[in-house]
Amino acid sequence: MDSDPPTVAPDTHQEHVAWAAVQHGEPGIAVVDARGSFRGLISAQSLLAVLLEEHDEDMARLGGFLGSASAARSASTERVGRRLLHRLPWLLIGLIGALLAAVVVGAFGEQLEEQVLIAYFLPGVVYIAAAVGMQTETLAIRGLSLGVGIRRVAVREVVTGGLLGLTLGGLAFPLVWAGWGDIQIAASVAVAMFAASVIATCVALLLPWILHRLGKDPAFGSGPIATVIQDLLTVSVYFLTAVAIAA
């Protein structure tokens, strides 16, 4: 007999219970209260079920889902109607954002008439911001799925986003100046790329955290909402920068 068998408290997490039994090579494990009184025995069959459940959950998390493996499997095989129900509301928000972006661009119509070259680089600045934000968002969601909180990566990601924007803006400045011969537009593009990259990184970190705290799966909502916010802010920052520098 084992003279000092492993025991667990009634409130011990089931995964820790299963691993305690495995590490001690026990087919079952006793539950005792704070006074050391015997409260029950967890059988080998129950421990095996716990290990299988935890394994499925861990695999689901590695796949970027915050729920169970069954929820991940259901999301992949659900009918068309359910797919639309899960995705369409977020994309409707994106549609509203696209219309708002048109309003923002229209507000700078006078500046565009005076300097049409400003419009040439808007898609590029928006793309850079979206790409930087998508990279950060992917890392944030993957970290949340593995139990890594946003606070642990926030500072490093913001610094990385700023350095990416600084590098890309620094590369764009001489290329735009040499290609189009306008140093003010080149400076506007460079500054806007830097600012948009920092903003996109912050948005990409904040949204998954908010959705996670609300109990929503960030894999569904973060992308569309982040894209809307990033695009609106990027367009606004770019035109404000262009007006301040090139006007």
Side-chain angles (χ1 to χ4, degrees), residues 113-160:
E113 290 179 2
E114 296 177 358
Q115 180 58 282
V116 70
L117 189 60
I118 294 175
Y120 289 8
F121 304 100
L122 178 60
V125 175
V126 171
Y127 164 76
I128 290 297
V132 171
M134 182 62 69
Q135 290 178 334
T136 298
E137 184 182 311
T138 301
L139 290 174
I141 294 176
R142 182 186 298 170
L144 285 172
S145 70
L146 297 175
V148 180
I150 296 294
R151 294 179 181 179
R152 292 177 58 183
V153 300
V155 174
R156 282 175 288 181
E157 272 302 307
V158 172
V159 172
T160 301

Side-chain angles (χ1 to χ4, degrees), residues 11-19 47 49-51 53-54 57:
D11 58 350
T12 304
H13 190 279
Q14 64 176 11
E15 185 175 11
H16 297 162
V17 173
W19 278 114
L47 291 173
V50 168
L51 287 174
E53 179 184 342
E54 294 295 333
E57 182 178 337

Side-chain angles (χ1 to χ4, degrees), residues 10-145:
D11 58 350
T12 304
H13 190 279
Q14 64 176 11
E15 185 175 11
H16 297 162
V17 173
W19 278 114
V22 170
Q23 290 168 354
H24 288 84
E26 297 287 349
I29 192 165
V31 180
V32 298
D33 58 22
R35 297 176 297 179
S37 301
F38 179 76
R39 301 296 300 274
L41 182 70
I42 302 176
S43 66
Q45 184 177 2
S46 297
L47 291 173
L48 183 61
V50 168
L51 287 174
L52 178 60
E53 179 184 342
E54 294 295 333
H55 172 73
D56 283 347
E57 182 178 337
D58 290 342
M59 293 303 294
R61 289 179 180 275
L62 286 172
F65 293 87
L66 299 183
S68 64
S70 60
R73 190 178 299 109
S74 175
S76 300
T77 60
E78 62 188 4
R79 296 179 180 275
V80 173
R82 294 290 296 176
R83 292 173 186 266
L84 289 174
L85 184 62
H86 282 147
R87 300 182 187 181
L88 188 58
W90 303 111
L91 296 176
L92 290 176
I93 296 175
L95 177 60
I96 295 173
L99 298 178
L100 290 176
V103 173
V104 173
V105 173
F108 294 92
E110 183 177 345
Q111 288 77 16
L112 287 173
E113 290 179 2
E114 296 177 358
Q115 180 58 282
V116 70
L117 189 60
I118 294 175
Y120 289 8
F121 304 100
L122 178 60
V125 175
V126 171
Y127 164 76
I128 290 297
V132 171
M134 182 62 69
Q135 290 178 334
T136 298
E137 184 182 311
T138 301
L139 290 174
I141 294 176
R142 182 186 298 170
L144 285 172
S145 70

